[in-house]
Amino acid sequence: MESRARAAHTVTAEARRRRLVAAAFLLPALVLLGALVVHPIGYSLYRSLFDRSGSAFVGAANYREILGNDAIRAALRNTAVWVVLAPVTATALGLVFAVLTERVRWGTAFKLLVFMPMAISMLAAGIIFRLVYDHDPDRGVANAVWVGVHDTFAQSSAFPKARPGRDSPLADAGGGAFATREPVRAGSAVLLPLVGVAPEALPEGTRTAGRAEPVPGKVTGTVWQDFTRGGGGTVNVVDPTERGLAGIRVEAVRDGRVVETATARADGTFTLSGKADGAVLRLPAANFREAYGGVEWLGPSLVTPAVIGAYVWMWAGFAMVLIAAGLAAVPRELLEAARVDGASEWQVFRRITVPLLAPVLAVVFVTLVINVMKIFDLVFVIAPGAVQDDANVLALQLYRTSFGTDADPGLGSAIAVLLLVLVVPVMLVNIRRLRKERSR
């Protein structure tokens, strides 16, 4: 009995010693956890119950203010949009990239390229995409591509600001077009002077304006820039230094119908057949269409999708790497058996690959949801000041409320507590799923 008691005492002392050693190793981490996590959370909850100065207890007034503040409600709506769109898009792209790169020889290089944005800080990515979304096509890549595609199918005019000058034979024909005041006759030369185009804005290839000579049975004419650099020159007369407006379309209109068309040559001259006799010459509005400026990516309506696009560019690589790791563990025998049984690649992907990857997809999705609920950097950097209210999210509103020009630490702490309340359930779901995976 005595030996057993001594053995039990030894075991108890050993267990106590191990617990003390474990506590000694855990103590620094617990201190840091308390100082950096528990204390800030507790203080934020405490501070949210006081007014702006922190001297008067207001109870739940700050939380009522959250429900009644238009800016905070807009931030809540935008955060909901982020939670719905960003994780779904990034996870879906990661899945597609992971599956496709398994089948190509250069898959590793592709994965490296897709994952590279993860090495860039949110601040740097925000600066990059602020330039990508610049409205000026000469600076913004997005609008440069968009304008290039648009102009391929609907090219804009080189003379968007051209118009008739004083005492011009041309008059406004409505809808942005100009037409001669009187019908033209075959065998005559018509002058169609325009102003409003800067000499340096004339397209390449234009030449000095030519004087069209009358041709029997035809209508000839000149369309030119009726402006002499440095002054001088005669109005409605082709002077020696004035330039032709090459490429302008001229239409002969009779009884509301276009009977003949011509395009001005490099010197601005044109020729119409006898069909134009007695018709009115019209310069259609297409000649003066304003240059297409592209899409206002950072405008009020598109700024949130644009910033989400920048986020997906960064985090699709993260999703791809995790999903690719899960895909490597999928038994190949199942995939091959399905193909042998006659399943198409789409059926294999939808009915076998995706269900087997469901746990990994869930982890990736939940992780991204937690991440986007705290998004701040990209929105703050990419969205211009004029539209930050339209792009606002909870984390940005927390910063603006707590540290802005009209700072209210009490309301800011309430927003922080709200953000914590929204994130905690998602974290608990993720922890529960991880525990289930470990228990299998």
Side-chain angles (χ1 to χ4, degrees):
M1 290 291 293
E2 185 177 348
S3 61
R4 288 183 181 178
R6 190 180 299 115
H9 178 73
T10 303
V11 170
T12 304
E14 180 66 19
R16 188 182 300 113
R17 188 183 67 81
R18 289 182 179 179
R19 284 196 295 269
L20 288 174
V21 171
F25 277 103
L26 286 175
L27 185 60
L30 292 174
V31 171
L32 287 175
L33 185 66
L36 301 179
V37 178
V38 177
H39 176 264
I41 291 175
Y43 182 75
S44 295
L45 182 59
Y46 168 80
R47 187 65 179 84
S48 69
L49 303 176
F50 287 81
D51 67 352
R52 184 190 303 265
S53 64
S55 58
F57 180 80
V58 295
N62 286 322
Y63 295 95
R64 288 194 294 271
E65 173 67 15
I66 289 176
L67 300 177
N69 189 298
D70 292 337
I72 298 176
R73 285 190 295 179
L76 276 168
R77 287 195 298 271
N78 286 337
T79 301
V81 172
W82 270 86
V83 169
V84 171
L85 291 183
V88 171
T89 306
T91 304
L93 284 177
L95 175 61
V96 171
F97 291 155
V99 172
L100 292 182
T101 50
E102 270 207 331
R103 297 178 168 273
V104 294
R105 187 176 304 171
W106 38 268
T108 303
F110 181 82
K111 288 179 181 178
L112 177 63
L113 289 175
V114 175
F115 190 73
M116 277 180 65
M118 284 296 299
I120 303 173
S121 69
M122 286 281 197
L123 174 63
I127 294 172
I128 291 170
F129 274 87
R130 181 69 179 267
L131 293 174
V132 167
Y133 291 133
D134 195 288
H135 191 255
D136 185 356
D138 292 331
R139 296 180 61 194
V141 175
N143 261 345
V145 174
W146 193 269
V147 170
V149 172
H150 175 275
D151 288 351
T152 300
F153 300 98
Q155 193 167 6
S156 57
S157 168
F159 315 107
K161 299 186 182 301
R163 65 186 188 281
R166 60 187 174 89
D167 302 325
S168 174
L170 291 169
D172 189 350
F178 304 107
T180 55
R181 300 177 186 274
E182 302 294 335
V184 297
R185 295 297 174 187
S188 63
V190 184
L191 297 177
L192 304 179
L194 293 171
V195 296
V197 182
E200 60 272 11
L202 290 171
E204 295 182 9
T206 56
R207 301 207 304 257
T208 302
R211 294 182 175 86
E213 299 296 332
V215 177
K218 296 184 178 181
V219 174
T220 59
T222 304
V223 188
W224 84 102
Q225 167 78 338
D226 191 16
F227 171 81
T228 301
R229 189 190 290 269
T234 305
V235 176
N236 298 333
V237 173
V238 180
D239 294 307
T241 61
E242 294 174 347
R243 312 283 287 181
L245 300 183
I248 277 196
R249 184 180 176 84
V250 182
E251 297 176 343
V253 181
R254 187 187 299 115
D255 300 326
R257 188 168 58 90
V258 177
V259 296
E260 180 79 0
T261 63
T263 301
R265 305 179 188 94
D267 62 354
T269 60
F270 63 89
T271 302
L272 295 164
S273 69
K275 294 179 182 179
D277 184 43
V280 171
L281 297 190
R282 181 176 68 189
L283 303 178
N287 290 316
F288 315 108
R289 185 187 298 118
E290 289 282 349
Y292 180 66
V295 177
E296 194 175 359
W297 298 104
L298 299 182
S301 58
L302 289 179
V303 62
T304 295
V307 181
I308 289 176
Y311 177 88
V312 171
W313 175 77
M314 288 192 68
W315 287 85
F318 166 81
M320 177 197 66
V321 169
L322 292 187
I323 295 170
L327 192 61
V330 172
R332 301 300 164 186
E333 301 82 16
L334 294 177
L335 305 181
E336 294 303 325
R339 293 187 182 104
V340 170
D341 288 341
S344 65
E345 289 300 323
W346 169 246
Q347 289 173 324
V348 171
F349 173 75
R350 185 166 61 91
R351 296 184 179 276
I352 299 178
T353 304
V354 172
L356 290 175
L357 287 175
V360 177
L361 295 175
V363 170
V364 171
F365 178 78
V366 172
T367 303
L368 292 178
V369 167
I370 295 171
N371 186 268
V372 300
M373 292 183 74
K374 302 180 294 179
I375 195 71
F376 163 79
D377 322 53
L378 283 180
V379 181
F380 184 72
V381 176
I382 295 178
V387 296
Q388 270 200 0
D389 287 340
D390 300 284
N392 201 10
V393 290
L394 272 180
L396 178 58
Q397 183 62 35
L398 166 61
Y399 169 80
R400 295 170 68 181
T401 303
S402 301
F403 308 106
T405 53
D406 190 25
D408 187 343
L411 182 57
S413 298
I415 297 173
V417 173
L418 172 62
L419 194 56
L420 176 66
V421 169
L422 294 176
V423 170
V424 164
V426 184
M427 293 177 62
L428 292 177
V429 170
N430 204 22
I431 292 171
R432 185 176 303 169
R433 177 172 289 278
L434 289 174
R435 286 178 176 173
K436 286 182 179 179
E437 289 298 319
R438 287 178 183 174
S439 63
R440 288 179 181 177

